[in-house]
Amino acid sequence: MTPKTSVAPAAERSGAGRPDTATPAAARAATGHVPLSAASAVRRRELASFLRSRRERISPDQVGLPPGRRRRTPGLRREEVAQLAAVGVTWYTWLEQAREIQVSGQVADAIARALMLDTTERQHLFTLAGTADPHPHLDCPGMSPAVRAMLDQLEPLPAAVVNSRYDIVAYNRTYGRLVSDLDALPREDRNLMWLAFTDPQWRERMVDREENIRLMAAKFRASMAEHLAEPAWKTLLKRLQQTSPDFCEMWERHEVLKPDGHIKRYLNPEVGLLAFDFTHLWLGPGPGPRLVTYTPADDTTRERLARLHAVLTAETAGAAENGGTAGPSARPSGADAG
């Protein structure tokens, strides 16, 4: 493989060793750099265009910066993005100019935060940068406020944003307490595959579990075909294989399915058996993050769901009266989109 110029994360973040008077030619001479392949050049240009487009859509007030002097172009300036991401101005300028520099995962993460990328955009950034995401389960701060508001407004219907890896990206209160308390789980465990195959409460309360986990494993295999080399997918697969004999057995069947709709039933510890139809609303042009909404399949479920929602609403009000913070109902889960 043709070697690339490597820039240490500390230098990238501080700008040390890359004064604004440095030139790309001098950097190549110092490192013995040779030109990258044509494919890499195309990817660098695509990354540069993508960063510019994301930068131009953000106003200074959105990131807590003063509007400053008259702006000739929309959005943030390059130096403002560099400031927010704590990287050198010249280095970031080179990045938007498609220069031959390499981006570490740490710095790509800082840039994703500075540009408020949503989960799909964040994944796209790391793909174009050719580096692994150091925080594959991170909830991106740029997730659409409109989607979060929708999750709130859908209550008492349980609703969540789930990506193709089955990470629960965000959810409302009724979804968060549908089976167990999602808020009480570590971020890395807020994944439907992990919960269905390994969590004791989900094993007990997920009615028709055997059929459901078979379908989930088949859908997961179909989705993973597009993500075979991605660290987050390989990490989840390895965790499941090391922990769940049920998953290993079903994974070896090589069944593949696409997401569909059918009745799902859960034994809720607060109100009893709940039965739902569920609907997928895709949030992008292709398979990836989707809004999943659970609709009562019968009158009994509708009545019990209203009771569950009343319990959660009372809990939220009680926490507010006691000076606690129950958190927003459209809770972020800390997962990225795939």
Side-chain angles (χ1 to χ4, degrees), residues 281-306:
L281 299 176
W282 300 101
L283 302 180
R290 59 192 183 273
L291 177 67
V292 184
T293 305
Y294 289 69
T295 306
D298 52 52
D299 291 338
T300 300
T301 295
R302 185 172 293 104
E303 184 272 330
R304 290 176 177 175
L305 186 61

mmCIF file of all heavy atoms in Angstrom, residues 281-306:
data_model
loop_
_atom_site.group_PDB
_atom_site.id
_atom_site.type_symbol
_atom_site.label_atom_id
_atom_site.label_comp_id
_atom_site.label_asym_id
_atom_site.label_seq_id
_atom_site.Cartn_x
_atom_site.Cartn_y
_atom_site.Cartn_z
ATOM 1 N N LEU A 281 -40.278 4.048 9.707
ATOM 2 C CA LEU A 281 -40.191 5.237 8.871
ATOM 3 C C LEU A 281 -38.720 5.556 8.675
ATOM 4 O O LEU A 281 -38.022 5.942 9.618
ATOM 5 C CB LEU A 281 -40.910 6.426 9.540
ATOM 6 C CG LEU A 281 -42.408 6.249 9.798
ATOM 7 C CD1 LEU A 281 -42.963 7.454 10.556
ATOM 8 C CD2 LEU A 281 -43.164 6.062 8.486
ATOM 9 N N TRP A 282 -38.223 5.384 7.456
ATOM 10 C CA TRP A 282 -36.795 5.566 7.195
ATOM 11 C C TRP A 282 -36.439 7.046 7.230
ATOM 12 O O TRP A 282 -37.137 7.884 6.669
ATOM 13 C CB TRP A 282 -36.423 4.962 5.841
ATOM 14 C CG TRP A 282 -36.712 3.493 5.784
ATOM 15 C CD1 TRP A 282 -37.789 2.890 5.195
ATOM 16 C CD2 TRP A 282 -35.955 2.440 6.390
ATOM 17 N NE1 TRP A 282 -37.738 1.542 5.381
ATOM 18 C CE2 TRP A 282 -36.625 1.225 6.108
ATOM 19 C CE3 TRP A 282 -34.771 2.397 7.121
ATOM 20 C CZ2 TRP A 282 -36.157 -0.010 6.538
ATOM 21 C CZ3 TRP A 282 -34.306 1.168 7.554
ATOM 22 C CH2 TRP A 282 -34.983 -0.011 7.262
ATOM 23 N N LEU A 283 -35.328 7.374 7.893
ATOM 24 C CA LEU A 283 -34.899 8.761 8.058
ATOM 25 C C LEU A 283 -33.845 9.184 7.045
ATOM 26 O O LEU A 283 -33.314 10.285 7.115
ATOM 27 C CB LEU A 283 -34.348 8.965 9.478
ATOM 28 C CG LEU A 283 -35.324 8.637 10.605
ATOM 29 C CD1 LEU A 283 -34.684 8.876 11.960
ATOM 30 C CD2 LEU A 283 -36.602 9.457 10.468
ATOM 31 N N GLY A 284 -33.534 8.315 6.102
ATOM 32 C CA GLY A 284 -32.548 8.633 5.080
ATOM 33 C C GLY A 284 -32.959 8.011 3.761
ATOM 34 O O GLY A 284 -33.994 7.335 3.661
ATOM 35 N N PRO A 285 -32.130 8.209 2.735
ATOM 36 C CA PRO A 285 -32.480 7.699 1.405
ATOM 37 C C PRO A 285 -32.352 6.189 1.268
ATOM 38 O O PRO A 285 -32.860 5.611 0.331
ATOM 39 C CB PRO A 285 -31.472 8.415 0.485
ATOM 40 C CG PRO A 285 -30.316 8.731 1.382
ATOM 41 C CD PRO A 285 -30.899 9.021 2.733
ATOM 42 N N GLY A 286 -31.664 5.525 2.197
ATOM 43 C CA GLY A 286 -31.481 4.077 2.113
ATOM 44 C C GLY A 286 -31.564 3.459 3.482
ATOM 45 O O GLY A 286 -31.796 4.138 4.481
ATOM 46 N N PRO A 287 -31.389 2.142 3.584
ATOM 47 C CA PRO A 287 -31.422 1.467 4.875
ATOM 48 C C PRO A 287 -30.418 2.090 5.834
ATOM 49 O O PRO A 287 -29.260 2.288 5.499
ATOM 50 C CB PRO A 287 -31.057 0.024 4.526
ATOM 51 C CG PRO A 287 -31.463 -0.137 3.101
ATOM 52 C CD PRO A 287 -31.181 1.204 2.468
ATOM 53 N N GLY A 288 -30.854 2.382 7.020
ATOM 54 C CA GLY A 288 -30.015 3.033 8.019
ATOM 55 C C GLY A 288 -30.880 3.407 9.195
ATOM 56 O O GLY A 288 -31.730 2.614 9.619
ATOM 57 N N PRO A 289 -30.741 4.607 9.746
ATOM 58 C CA PRO A 289 -31.595 5.005 10.862
ATOM 59 C C PRO A 289 -33.064 5.024 10.460
ATOM 60 O O PRO A 289 -33.419 5.466 9.373
ATOM 61 C CB PRO A 289 -31.088 6.411 11.200
ATOM 62 C CG PRO A 289 -29.717 6.483 10.639
ATOM 63 C CD PRO A 289 -29.727 5.625 9.424
ATOM 64 N N ARG A 290 -33.907 4.542 11.339
ATOM 65 C CA ARG A 290 -35.338 4.524 11.073
ATOM 66 C C ARG A 290 -36.094 4.819 12.366
ATOM 67 O O ARG A 290 -35.646 4.471 13.457
ATOM 68 C CB ARG A 290 -35.777 3.177 10.503
ATOM 69 C CG ARG A 290 -35.498 1.981 11.398
ATOM 70 C CD ARG A 290 -35.698 0.676 10.636
ATOM 71 N NE ARG A 290 -35.511 -0.509 11.471
ATOM 72 C CZ ARG A 290 -34.354 -1.099 11.686
ATOM 73 N NH1 ARG A 290 -33.256 -0.612 11.137
ATOM 74 N NH2 ARG A 290 -34.275 -2.187 12.449
ATOM 75 N N LEU A 291 -37.225 5.468 12.206
ATOM 76 C CA LEU A 291 -38.110 5.721 13.331
ATOM 77 C C LEU A 291 -39.075 4.547 13.429
ATOM 78 O O LEU A 291 -39.802 4.253 12.477
ATOM 79 C CB LEU A 291 -38.875 7.026 13.121
ATOM 80 C CG LEU A 291 -39.906 7.388 14.195
ATOM 81 C CD1 LEU A 291 -39.216 7.705 15.514
ATOM 82 C CD2 LEU A 291 -40.751 8.574 13.742
ATOM 83 N N VAL A 292 -39.045 3.862 14.561
ATOM 84 C CA VAL A 292 -39.911 2.710 14.780
ATOM 85 C C VAL A 292 -40.999 3.111 15.775
ATOM 86 O O VAL A 292 -40.690 3.547 16.881
ATOM 87 C CB VAL A 292 -39.121 1.502 15.325
ATOM 88 C CG1 VAL A 292 -40.035 0.284 15.446
ATOM 89 C CG2 VAL A 292 -37.942 1.187 14.418
ATOM 90 N N THR A 293 -42.248 2.977 15.378
ATOM 91 C CA THR A 293 -43.377 3.343 16.224
ATOM 92 C C THR A 293 -44.246 2.116 16.490
ATOM 93 O O THR A 293 -44.574 1.367 15.569
ATOM 94 C CB THR A 293 -44.227 4.433 15.542
ATOM 95 O OG1 THR A 293 -43.414 5.542 15.204
ATOM 96 C CG2 THR A 293 -45.338 4.899 16.471
ATOM 97 N N TYR A 294 -44.591 1.919 17.759
ATOM 98 C CA TYR A 294 -45.410 0.784 18.182
ATOM 99 C C TYR A 294 -46.850 1.255 18.408
ATOM 100 O O TYR A 294 -47.103 2.130 19.232
ATOM 101 C CB TYR A 294 -44.857 0.189 19.474
ATOM 102 C CG TYR A 294 -43.552 -0.556 19.302
ATOM 103 C CD1 TYR A 294 -42.371 0.115 18.988
ATOM 104 C CD2 TYR A 294 -43.502 -1.941 19.451
ATOM 105 C CE1 TYR A 294 -41.182 -0.567 18.821
ATOM 106 C CE2 TYR A 294 -42.314 -2.634 19.292
ATOM 107 C CZ TYR A 294 -41.157 -1.942 18.976
ATOM 108 O OH TYR A 294 -39.981 -2.624 18.810
ATOM 109 N N THR A 295 -47.783 0.654 17.688
ATOM 110 C CA THR A 295 -49.198 1.003 17.791
ATOM 111 C C THR A 295 -49.953 -0.148 18.441
ATOM 112 O O THR A 295 -49.767 -1.307 18.043
ATOM 113 C CB THR A 295 -49.785 1.272 16.393
ATOM 114 O OG1 THR A 295 -48.996 2.261 15.728
ATOM 115 C CG2 THR A 295 -51.217 1.751 16.495
ATOM 116 N N PRO A 296 -50.811 0.126 19.441
ATOM 117 C CA PRO A 296 -51.552 -0.954 20.097
ATOM 118 C C PRO A 296 -52.316 -1.819 19.101
ATOM 119 O O PRO A 296 -53.016 -1.311 18.222
ATOM 120 C CB PRO A 296 -52.508 -0.209 21.034
ATOM 121 C CG PRO A 296 -51.808 1.075 21.340
ATOM 122 C CD PRO A 296 -51.107 1.447 20.064
ATOM 123 N N ALA A 297 -52.174 -3.132 19.268
ATOM 124 C CA ALA A 297 -52.847 -4.061 18.366
ATOM 125 C C ALA A 297 -54.256 -4.398 18.837
ATOM 126 O O ALA A 297 -55.018 -5.030 18.100
ATOM 127 C CB ALA A 297 -52.029 -5.343 18.229
ATOM 128 N N ASP A 298 -54.619 -3.979 20.069
ATOM 129 C CA ASP A 298 -55.961 -4.260 20.586
ATOM 130 C C ASP A 298 -56.312 -3.214 21.640
ATOM 131 O O ASP A 298 -55.460 -2.434 22.076
ATOM 132 C CB ASP A 298 -56.040 -5.678 21.170
ATOM 133 C CG ASP A 298 -54.936 -5.962 22.178
ATOM 134 O OD1 ASP A 298 -54.767 -5.152 23.118
ATOM 135 O OD2 ASP A 298 -54.241 -6.981 22.028
ATOM 136 N N ASP A 299 -57.582 -3.223 22.051
ATOM 137 C CA ASP A 299 -58.064 -2.236 23.013
ATOM 138 C C ASP A 299 -57.424 -2.413 24.386
ATOM 139 O O ASP A 299 -57.183 -1.435 25.100
ATOM 140 C CB ASP A 299 -59.587 -2.315 23.137
ATOM 141 C CG ASP A 299 -60.299 -1.828 21.887
ATOM 142 O OD1 ASP A 299 -59.674 -1.067 21.120
ATOM 143 O OD2 ASP A 299 -61.468 -2.220 21.681
ATOM 144 N N THR A 300 -57.151 -3.647 24.765
ATOM 145 C CA THR A 300 -56.524 -3.897 26.067
ATOM 146 C C THR A 300 -55.141 -3.259 26.124
ATOM 147 O O THR A 300 -54.777 -2.608 27.114
ATOM 148 C CB THR A 300 -56.424 -5.409 26.339
ATOM 149 O OG1 THR A 300 -57.729 -5.985 26.343
ATOM 150 C CG2 THR A 300 -55.756 -5.668 27.685
ATOM 151 N N THR A 301 -54.384 -3.428 25.065
ATOM 152 C CA THR A 301 -53.053 -2.819 25.017
ATOM 153 C C THR A 301 -53.153 -1.302 25.041
ATOM 154 O O THR A 301 -52.365 -0.625 25.712
ATOM 155 C CB THR A 301 -52.307 -3.272 23.750
ATOM 156 O OG1 THR A 301 -52.078 -4.682 23.813
ATOM 157 C CG2 THR A 301 -50.975 -2.549 23.624
ATOM 158 N N ARG A 302 -54.133 -0.747 24.333
ATOM 159 C CA ARG A 302 -54.304 0.709 24.304
ATOM 160 C C ARG A 302 -54.576 1.243 25.716
ATOM 161 O O ARG A 302 -54.006 2.255 26.133
ATOM 162 C CB ARG A 302 -55.443 1.070 23.352
ATOM 163 C CG ARG A 302 -55.624 2.576 23.152
ATOM 164 C CD ARG A 302 -56.629 2.867 22.053
ATOM 165 N NE ARG A 302 -56.119 2.448 20.749
ATOM 166 C CZ ARG A 302 -56.505 1.347 20.097
ATOM 167 N NH1 ARG A 302 -57.415 0.539 20.633
ATOM 168 N NH2 ARG A 302 -56.001 1.042 18.913
ATOM 169 N N GLU A 303 -55.422 0.544 26.475
ATOM 170 C CA GLU A 303 -55.748 0.977 27.833
ATOM 171 C C GLU A 303 -54.534 0.821 28.757
ATOM 172 O O GLU A 303 -54.237 1.709 29.563
ATOM 173 C CB GLU A 303 -56.935 0.159 28.349
ATOM 174 C CG GLU A 303 -57.448 0.566 29.725
ATOM 175 C CD GLU A 303 -56.708 -0.163 30.841
ATOM 176 O OE1 GLU A 303 -56.258 -1.302 30.614
ATOM 177 O OE2 GLU A 303 -56.581 0.417 31.949
ATOM 178 N N ARG A 304 -53.824 -0.283 28.624
ATOM 179 C CA ARG A 304 -52.658 -0.510 29.484
ATOM 180 C C ARG A 304 -51.522 0.443 29.148
ATOM 181 O O ARG A 304 -50.783 0.887 30.035
ATOM 182 C CB ARG A 304 -52.197 -1.971 29.353
ATOM 183 C CG ARG A 304 -53.169 -2.959 29.974
ATOM 184 C CD ARG A 304 -52.743 -4.405 29.751
ATOM 185 N NE ARG A 304 -53.660 -5.324 30.421
ATOM 186 C CZ ARG A 304 -53.599 -6.648 30.318
ATOM 187 N NH1 ARG A 304 -52.651 -7.215 29.550
ATOM 188 N NH2 ARG A 304 -54.461 -7.404 30.964
ATOM 189 N N LEU A 305 -51.388 0.769 27.879
ATOM 190 C CA LEU A 305 -50.356 1.720 27.481
ATOM 191 C C LEU A 305 -50.642 3.105 28.058
ATOM 192 O O LEU A 305 -49.726 3.818 28.499
ATOM 193 C CB LEU A 305 -50.270 1.784 25.955
ATOM 194 C CG LEU A 305 -49.135 2.618 25.359
ATOM 195 C CD1 LEU A 305 -47.779 2.059 25.781
ATOM 196 C CD2 LEU A 305 -49.237 2.646 23.846
ATOM 197 N N ALA A 306 -51.916 3.491 28.083
ATOM 198 C CA ALA A 306 -52.289 4.772 28.689
ATOM 199 C C ALA A 306 -51.939 4.785 30.173
ATOM 200 O O ALA A 306 -51.466 5.805 30.706
ATOM 201 C CB ALA A 306 -53.777 5.030 28.481
#
